[in-house]
Structure formats: C-alpha cells, structure tokens
Amino acid sequence: MSKVTSPAPPKNLLDASTGTIDTWADPRSMSRAEAKAWRRKRNPLRPDGFPGKVFDFLASLELAVFLLIVLGTACVFGTIYESNYTAQLAKRLVYRTGWFDFLLATIFINVVFATLSRYPWRLSQLGWLVTHVGVLSIIAGSVFTYRFGVEGNMMLQEGQSSDRISLPNSYISIQKVDSAHPGEEVWYRLDSTEIEWGHPSPENPQHYSFDDLGVNLTVQNFYADSEWTEEWKNDSPRENPAVLYAIESSFAGTMASKWLAPNMPGRTRDDLGIASVTARVMDSQEDLEAELSPVKGEDIDTNQYPKGYLEVSLSDSPATTINVAEALGNKIAIEGTPYSLLLQEQYDYAYINEGGELVDNPSRAPNPLVRYEVYEGDKVVMERQFNFAFIPEFNQMHGGEVELPLEVTYHYPKMKEQSSGGRSEFAILIGPGEDELHWKVASGEKISSGTMEVGKPVPMPMMTAGMSLVVKEKLTHAKIEEVLEEKQVKRGDFRRKAAEIVVSNADGDQKSIWLSHGGEQRILLGKNVYALRYLSEEFPLGFTIRLDDFRLRTYPGGSSPMSYESDVTVAYAEENSNVQKEVLIQMNEPMDQNGFRVFQSSFIDQPKGDPRISIFSIAKDPGVPIIYTGSIVLCVGIAMMFYGRKYLRKLEKKWYPQRMSGAAS
C-alpha cells in the first residue's frame, strides 16, 4: 500500500533569502493542492505527523458542512415537535439532549480549528476572522445559558409572597414518619423525569428501591393531566339523602346540573344568579306543612340589633340574649351557668372559598354567621363553634373538652326575606315518606308548591319561559368518593400531573395511591407511617416578591382579557440593609432584579369571591449579553467580508509594499 503524502509547496513560494515558506504568497494563484500544502507549511500552530492530520480534519470544510447539515436536520425535528406538540417535548428530545450538546461542542471546535488553520492572519482576512469570532461567541453564549440559566414560574394570590420559583423539573420523595423525633426524618427522593417521559403502565411499571427505608416503590401509571372528580354512591352506612337536579331548557338542553345533600354542609344550596336551588329534608308531615305555609320575616329592631342577636340557654336555665354588634370581641356571661361565650367573628355574607378559608363576600347571597368559643372560667370548653342564621341545622356544637347541652340560636333581622337575598328560591323537599319529593318556589312571601317525581320536569316560574327543573337521581344513603380522571393533552404537555404509586415492604404489605403533583399523602404500611410528595424543583431568587394587587382589563362588551398587570413589592438586601420597592409588572413590561427578569405571563381565574392568581415567568439568562455581542460581531464580520475586503487589500499594499510586491511576483 502506497503512502499518501501532502505535495510539497512549489519552489517559487519559498523565500530565497531564508528558504522558508513565503507567508505573504497569494493562494488564489495556486492550485487547490498547492494552496493546501502552502497553508499547512506556513502555519506554525499546525503540528507535524498524525496530530497534523487530526488538526486538518477538525478544521476542514467537509466537517463543517456535515455538522451544519446535522444541526439543520435536528432543528427541523425540534421545530416539528414544538409546533405539533410542545416546547417541553422539543427540549426533551432535541435541544436538551447529550447528543445535541456534543453537536454544538463539535461545531465550536470546528470553527476554532478553522480559524487557527489560517494563522498567521492577514489584514485582508480580518472580516473572515471577525465572522468566526462572532459564531464562536454565539455558540459559547448558548452553552452558557443552557448550563447556568434558570427559568421557572411563580404563582401568587393577593397578599401572598415568595422568594423562590418552581422549575419544570419535578421529583417524588418518600419519608418514614418518626413520631418520637418529628422534624428529624430524612426525605429520600427520585427524579420524576423517567416517570413523566417513560409513561409507565400496569404492563410496564417502573421499580425503585429504598433500602434504607426498607420499602420498594413501584410506579404503574402516569397522567400528564388529570382532574379529581366526585362520584356519588348509594352505599353510606348511615342515612344521607341526596338528589341530582338539572336545569333544562326546551331550546338549549341541560344548562346546569348539581348534587344537593341537605345533611352535608356546603351541599345544600346552588346559586344561579337570579334564583337559588336548595334541598331540605322533611322529617314529618308537620314539617312539610310548616315549610309550605307562608312565613313572614322576624320583626327585629334593626336599630337595636343591626347584626342580630344570639339566644343562648343551658338546660333549664333562662335564655341569655346577646347583641352581636355590641358583643364582638367580648366575653359574655351566660346567666345561671358557670359558662361564658366569647363572640369572635360575624359575617353577613359567609362563604368558604376553594382554599377552605371562611371569607365575607358581599357579592354572594346573604348568609349571616357567627363564630364563638365557650369558656368555663378561663378554660376553653368548646372551641370554633359556628352558627348560621339561615341554616340553623348546620350549627356546630362540638369539638370541646366536654359535651354541654348548650343551645345557641342566631336571629337576624328579617331572616326569611333575606335568606334568598331578594331572589327567588326553588326548594326540593325530600320526604317525609321514603319516595316522596315536593317542590316549593318562594319569592318574598309568595309561595307555590307541588309534588315531583324523579325524571319529571317542573317548570321554574322565576326563569325564562321553557326552562324547568328535573330531579335526575335520588339517593337515600349518599356517599362521595373522589376519583382521579385522566385528561387528554398534547404529548409532552404536563399540567396537573399524577402518578399511581404502589409502596411495599419485605413483609408483603403494600399500599396503592394516586399522588398528584404539588400534593402530599401519608400511608400506613405495616406498623410504619410514610409520607410521599410529588413536587417541583425550586430555585431561590435572593429576593422576595409580594403581590399587592392584580388587575384584569377586558375588551368592552366581552369577557376576553385585554391586558393584566400586577402591583408588587420587592424586598431584597443591599449593603447590610433591607430594601423594599414597589413595582408595576404588566404585559410586555417586565421587571429586572438581581439578574432575573420577571414577566407578567398569565393568570388563573378563581371561583367568584376568591382573588385571582397572578402567574409570573421568571428567567435568568446569563448568556444573553454574550449572544447579543456575538450577533453584532457576526454582522460586522459579514459586512467586512463583502464590502471591506478590497479596502483592506489596499491597506495591505500600502503598509507592506515590499512583501505584497514579492507575493505578487
């Protein structure tokens, strides 16, 4: 096999005085083979032998073309994934992979060696050199952003604050709860990336072992998006009537549907705006007759009792009347008993929001409520008691250290008239017989009523013509079970993530649960309690953001968002002092702080009465200055290559006339 060697440079390219290669020769006057040989010989940075061949390969145009073709193909697939699916999937399968990192690194090396292969550089090559420096800067800035950049979200309600962001990456952790040493337990965790992208199933589960805890964790299902729904069953051990009603229209079909259960707090009433639908149990015929008879509002002096009064009695002791407006925050003695009552709060429009908090919301129907505690001397014997003026059957009288036959009734001015908030009420009356159903429509003191059957509609006079109410289903022993349902989304689009996890130990005990993202559950396995979490990775910002006010503007005559903005207070440390500043963040006008850029990206509408959730997108991109600088340098280099090269060659002839004349000859 013959040995292939590079052709020697022609003798007329050697410096006659020194015998060395003429670095000022013009390669355009040579053949391609001669030009290659000349460049190799003139470059002091190129080693001899095999390292020189590696140098030539890394600097070759052929390698550059191949790498650019691969890069372009990868970007095409990344764009397809992002367009048809999500940006997260494109990052996962293309842009955030090891092979893409290797591709960028190889392109960087190719550009570096291609630049070094032309050394020593001539003035006329300045545009070409600047262009390559710009390309290297852009690649370096991109890698710098990928390795050190941070991007995440922060969600806040009005009044809430946070000093960290949630990152796209999630993890699942498990902990053995030690009641003897609370707070000292160790959390063991695993990255959920494999779970979320592997999509485990009962046929293809994923197994993880935690030897230090003595348990195994098996993930046998995953939902990219899910929703907890209620499933009503008729298998409760106690009697608990419930009805499923629907509002139907002759021209629009079913317009509203909901389960009502008279014995379950929060399930007795459904507000429909101009009317409300309620359900009540009739224990006897007398109760039914009393319900269907016209009842006038209580005649209470609103000047004396603007917030109503409490009627309190214990056993056979005389009743004590407590003026709610005057007694708020005070401890009132109950006559003839050793007990006293501390009235803590009063609401005219009591409402429990989605977060389980009790709020006073004037936009809802009147629902007067008082909260109080019962004392014996200085000792609390009944705590967190609630009394509703309009729903006395739900008054809570429990939770204390002793059981007291205490009766507390909350009276409110014009109670019956205000209970509907000046609106009509459609009441579904269950009983007194097992299969009996009655209906009642009350508007002020006007009452109409009748019997009803499951599946047969009853016209609703308070609504528009053609609308009726129908009881779809009736249960006698209702029980609610929460069921997790999978929602279909684009591949790679993770929203309300949930994983089905089976935890087992060496004794054969096992427990299966669905763990939703952002949640925590505790399980009893054998004799031990374990806590499991499914959370997002978090990153500390170094400063705190508090949402003071969120404003949403809609287009006139519609509900589509036109713009939204947030007033925030930013707190941070500066020169051994704490600084606070008020900032307005709105669409297309972000805030910059500590190298982070905070965007107003979105919001979440809450149920009526709850504050909206403002969503901020927060990113730190340390490579942006490098990328911008590299882009400017690249543009300058291209301009110099196409428009400045002839001027640079003139300068070469002017500054180095002897060398240039030698090169020309």
Side-chain angles (χ1 to χ4, degrees):
M1 181 180 294
S2 60
K3 183 178 179 181
V4 179
T5 58
S6 300
K11 293 184 178 181
N12 63 343
L13 295 180
L14 297 177
D15 190 315
S17 60
T18 63
T20 59
I21 192 75
D22 184 2
T23 58
W24 285 88
D26 187 354
R28 292 177 298 176
S29 61
M30 312 175 197
S31 67
R32 185 175 181 182
E34 290 176 337
K36 276 187 177 183
W38 173 74
R39 288 193 177 101
R40 292 169 182 170
K41 293 296 183 182
R42 70 188 285 268
N43 190 347
L45 301 179
R46 180 185 180 275
D48 295 327
F50 180 76
K53 295 181 179 180
V54 175
F55 184 99
D56 295 339
F57 171 74
L58 294 177
S60 65
L61 178 62
E62 292 80 359
L63 177 61
V65 172
F66 173 77
L67 293 175
L68 290 177
I69 292 175
V70 176
L71 178 64
T73 304
C75 291
V76 168
F77 279 103
T79 303
I80 292 174
Y81 281 125
E82 187 168 354
S83 300
N84 295 339
Y85 300 103
T86 64
Q88 288 295 329
L89 184 64
K91 291 179 181 179
R92 170 67 180 176
L93 298 181
V94 180
Y95 304 121
R96 295 294 175 89
T97 58
W99 63 264
F100 194 81
D101 290 345
F102 177 77
L103 176 62
L104 291 180
T106 307
I107 292 175
F108 186 90
I109 292 172
N110 175 251
V111 176
V112 169
F113 276 85
T115 306
L116 297 178
S117 68
R118 299 295 180 97
Y119 184 82
W121 303 297
R122 289 165 38 171
L123 185 61
S124 58
Q125 294 176 315
L126 184 59
W128 174 87
L129 183 62
V130 170
T131 301
H132 282 65
V133 171
V135 172
L136 291 174
S137 300
I138 293 174
I139 297 175
S142 301
V143 174
F144 200 72
T145 291
Y146 171 62
R147 290 301 178 190
F148 302 104
V150 179
E151 183 178 359
N153 294 313
M154 178 186 292
M155 298 190 297
L156 295 175
Q157 285 186 350
E158 291 181 2
Q160 288 184 335
S161 60
S162 179
D163 63 350
R164 56 195 59 235
I165 57 176
S166 297
L167 304 179
N169 300 330
S170 301
Y171 65 91
I172 292 175
S173 59
I174 183 171
Q175 174 198 68
K176 182 179 179 181
V177 179
D178 187 354
S179 57
H181 302 87
E184 299 180 9
E185 304 94 340
V186 177
W187 285 96
Y188 295 84
R189 52 184 287 174
L190 60 92
D191 191 335
S192 65
T193 301
E194 181 182 359
I195 297 170
E196 295 169 359
W197 294 97
H199 293 286
S201 64
E203 295 78 22
N204 184 32
Q206 296 178 0
H207 303 283
Y208 304 90
S209 297
F210 296 92
D211 296 333
D212 292 343
L213 291 178
V215 298
N216 295 318
L217 189 148
T218 301
V219 183
Q220 59 181 18
N221 220 333
F222 172 78
Y223 292 164
D225 190 15
S226 62
E227 182 180 17
W228 285 100
T229 60
E230 294 179 344
E231 185 174 316
W232 289 70
K233 296 186 177 182
N234 198 32
D235 56 2
S236 173
R238 63 182 181 86
E239 186 174 350
N240 184 32
V243 292
L244 173 64
Y245 87 90
I247 304 295
E248 296 184 344
S249 169
S250 58
F251 56 87
T254 301
M255 302 182 65
S257 179
K258 191 171 183 177
W259 279 96
L260 297 177
N263 295 333
M264 300 174 68
R267 304 282 182 172
T268 64
R269 182 188 187 95
D270 189 18
D271 271 320
L272 301 177
I274 62 174
S276 63
V277 179
T278 60
R280 292 191 280 275
V281 175
M282 301 293 104
D283 294 322
S284 64
Q285 188 65 30
E286 290 75 15
D287 290 344
L288 178 62
E289 292 174 359
E291 180 71 36
L292 298 179
S293 63
V295 180
K296 296 184 178 180
E298 282 189 79
D299 188 13
I300 297 177
D301 185 351
T302 55
N303 293 323
Q304 183 180 2
Y305 301 109
K307 297 293 185 181
Y309 65 88
L310 295 180
E311 188 177 14
V312 187
S313 62
L314 179 66
S315 300
D316 297 329
S317 62
T320 299
T321 300
I322 299 177
N323 189 326
V324 172
E326 297 176 356
L328 276 173
N330 300 318
K331 191 183 292 185
I332 307 298
I334 303 173
E335 295 181 10
T337 74
Y339 305 107
S340 57
L341 185 146
L342 174 61
L343 190 60
Q344 297 171 313
E345 291 180 295
Q346 188 275 339
Y347 297 111
D348 291 326
Y349 306 90
Y351 166 60
I352 298 178
N353 63 19
E354 292 295 317
E357 300 174 340
L358 188 65
V359 296
D360 198 15
N361 182 5
S363 66
R364 299 181 69 88
N367 185 28
L369 172 145
V370 292
R371 184 167 70 87
Y372 59 91
E373 291 181 342
V374 180
Y375 285 76
E376 183 178 2
D378 294 331
K379 181 181 180 182
V380 178
V381 292
M382 300 182 71
E383 59 181 10
R384 292 188 59 81
Q385 306 302 308
F386 297 91
N387 271 66
F388 295 84
F390 298 164
I391 322 174
E393 60 267 27
F394 294 140
N395 296 339
Q396 295 187 2
M397 297 298 298
H398 56 80
E401 296 185 8
V402 297
E403 292 293 335
L404 303 177
L406 188 69
E407 294 183 6
V408 179
T409 306
Y410 183 19
H411 301 269
Y412 198 81
K414 300 185 181 299
M415 186 177 72
K416 291 294 184 182
E417 292 180 9
Q418 296 219 9
S419 65
S420 62
R423 298 170 296 175
S424 299
E425 177 195 55
F426 192 108
I428 302 172
L429 309 177
I430 305 173
E434 182 177 348
D435 297 324
E436 284 189 65
L437 284 175
H438 298 265
W439 63 270
K440 166 189 165 182
V441 174
S443 181
E445 297 183 8
K446 298 180 180 179
I447 293 179
S448 58
S449 61
T451 59
M452 64 190 310
E453 298 179 17
V454 175
K456 291 189 177 181
V458 176
M460 300 185 71
M462 76 285 286
M463 308 293 274
T464 58
M467 298 184 67
S468 58
L469 183 146
V470 57
V471 173
K472 295 284 191 179
E473 191 175 349
K474 176 178 176 292
L475 305 178
T476 57
H477 293 72
K479 182 177 73 173
I480 302 176
E481 289 187 0
E482 286 194 324
V483 179
L484 189 68
E485 292 186 354
E486 182 179 13
K487 300 178 68 176
Q488 297 299 320
V489 293
K490 289 182 178 180
R491 183 186 177 193
D493 189 8
F494 301 134
R495 298 181 183 177
R496 301 176 186 88
K497 300 177 286 189
E500 185 180 10
I501 299 174
V502 178
V503 184
S504 59
N505 59 21
D507 297 331
D509 302 316
Q510 67 176 30
K511 190 83 171 185
S512 176
I513 61 169
W514 274 99
L515 188 61
S516 297
H517 184 264
E520 176 180 338
Q521 286 196 46
R522 294 195 174 195
I523 62 171
L524 176 62
L525 190 67
K527 298 180 180 180
N528 299 314
V529 176
Y530 297 90
L532 291 98
R533 292 176 177 175
Y534 187 4
L535 302 174
S536 293
E537 297 278 5
E538 294 184 333
F539 187 86
L541 297 173
F543 58 91
T544 301
I545 299 176
R546 185 184 71 226
L547 178 62
D548 299 320
D549 186 33
F550 175 81
R551 293 180 296 276
L552 171 67
R553 295 183 177 89
T554 60
Y555 288 101
S559 58
S560 300
M562 181 174 64
S563 66
Y564 37 91
E565 59 190 25
S566 298
D567 289 325
V568 302
T569 298
V570 182
Y572 57 95
E574 186 177 84
E575 296 182 355
N576 299 322
S577 63
N578 295 324
V579 181
Q580 288 191 352
K581 64 178 181 180
E582 296 180 353
V583 182
L584 172 64
I585 304 175
Q586 51 188 337
M587 298 170 61
N588 302 320
E589 293 188 20
M591 174 192 76
D592 292 314
Q593 181 68 39
N594 291 22
F596 289 88
R597 177 156 285 192
V598 183
F599 298 88
Q600 176 72 71
S601 61
S602 185
F603 67 93
I604 297 177
D605 257 329
Q606 294 275 69
K608 189 175 182 182
D610 290 335
R612 292 186 175 96
I613 295 177
S614 182
I615 302 178
F616 301 102
S617 178
I618 304 178
K620 185 175 185 179
D621 197 344
V624 165
I626 303 175
I627 294 174
Y628 286 171
T629 302
S631 300
I632 294 173
V633 171
L634 177 65
C635 293
V636 172
I638 293 174
M640 293 175 65
M641 287 178 62
F642 285 95
Y643 303 106
R645 189 172 183 179
K646 62 180 181 180
Y647 300 105
L648 293 175
R649 292 188 64 82
K650 288 181 179 179
L651 288 176
E652 280 184 342
K653 292 180 179 180
K654 179 179 179 181
W655 291 350
Y656 309 104
Q658 294 179 352
R659 293 184 177 181
M660 294 300 297
S661 61
S665 62

